[in-house]
Amino acid sequence: MFKKFWLDTIYALAFILVLAFIVTQAFAFKIFDVFDPIGDAFKDMESTDIVFSQLREDPLAEEDLILVNIGNLNRQGIADLVNIINAAEPRVIGMDMFFPELKPDTLGDLALSYAFSQVENLVLVSKLEQPNDNNTFDSLALSHEIFSQYGESAFANFITGAADQDDIKVCRTFAPKEYANDELQYALSVKLSYYMDSVKTMNFLERNKEVEVINYRGNIFDYGATEAPITYFALDWYQVYDGQFAPELIKDKCVLFCFLGSELGDRKALEDKYFTPLNANYAGKGHADMFGGVVHANAMSMILSEDYVDQLGDNITYIIAIILLYINVVLFVFIYKVMPKWYDGLTKLIQLIEASTLFTLGLILFNSYSFKVDTTWMILGVLIAGDALEVYFGVVKNLFTKEGRKELTQVKKL
């Protein structure tokens, strides 16, 4: 009897894992997508989004990083901005924009090139292109030589999961470094951080992670366009022209030129804008909440504050999920055999308590220790164990017994 009990638990576990695999494959091929409008609203959500958008206290403002909005200025206008800011002696200037070709406005190109030549530490973005099967890139897009010759390059690519421009671009992670044309390239946030604190940046790189979760801190002041904490100081292009800033604000700081709308608070601008975990509508997101330049700023803050996000590896997560599933199978099989009348009520209660506990534990670990544990598979295993066991005992097991098959072929009168 004791041996039969443990055999039942092992066979039941195997059945549930096979069933879960079949269901997973069905969802992978989008078989049920037409029936899942609710799932569409939650597919871009993670439980940790609740921590970012609802639970964490507003952080202190970032003092070492200033954003400058270029708006819709032409190259002559951008050159004027660079000259004004550079006169205030920033430690490094980053340009989160491409200048791949020369314009018919030759004077504008020459003015921008000259402005760059006057900057002591300049970083211009590049773009990783043509990914290959070796998880590297075959091409690196750079600005035209008359611009790029005066600075270093760093890639601006984010990891969004968007297959094309119409897909929702959710940015939670970034790659600190990548290989392109067999040469090591660094992310813009990493390269800029190195100028601000080389020791902390090297400590970050020594983590040697292919992908890092961005520990978001906040956004810019955007006149109510988003509800995220205001963490980064941003100057609009006309404020720079009018001298509406103190030079002390810029001296020895990192200044990142980027597009933040035609002017700060522009709610119609969609270019270079992303959904982030700071989005107040973490389920069924409606409007992108952060420009790319601010995403780079958040990654920089994480590096310079050494406030990283660690996470449990996928393989360990799966192992824990299977162990937890088996523990539930053992418990539920015991209830099924010893207290069959109590099975439905007790299993549902246990599932509810376990799922709530796992969900809450994941939030606590992330909120208190910046440790990310994906509890999705653990919770899923808990939730399907009870009903899947009923299918196993009521259908699968009966199919392998003579008595069970006989009952299935007999039709009794009502």
Side-chain angles (χ1 to χ4, degrees), residues 238-251:
Y238 62 85
Q239 293 176 311
V240 176
Y241 283 159
D242 295 341
Q244 298 178 23
F245 67 95
E248 295 78 16
L249 177 72
I250 304 298
K251 185 175 176 57

Side-chain angles (χ1 to χ4, degrees), residues 138-159:
D138 292 331
S139 179
L140 183 70
L142 298 168
S143 291
H144 193 278
E145 185 180 358
I146 73 165
F147 307 117
S148 61
Q149 64 179 317
Y150 297 113
E152 297 185 76
S153 68
F155 65 84
N157 302 60
F158 291 126
I159 301 171

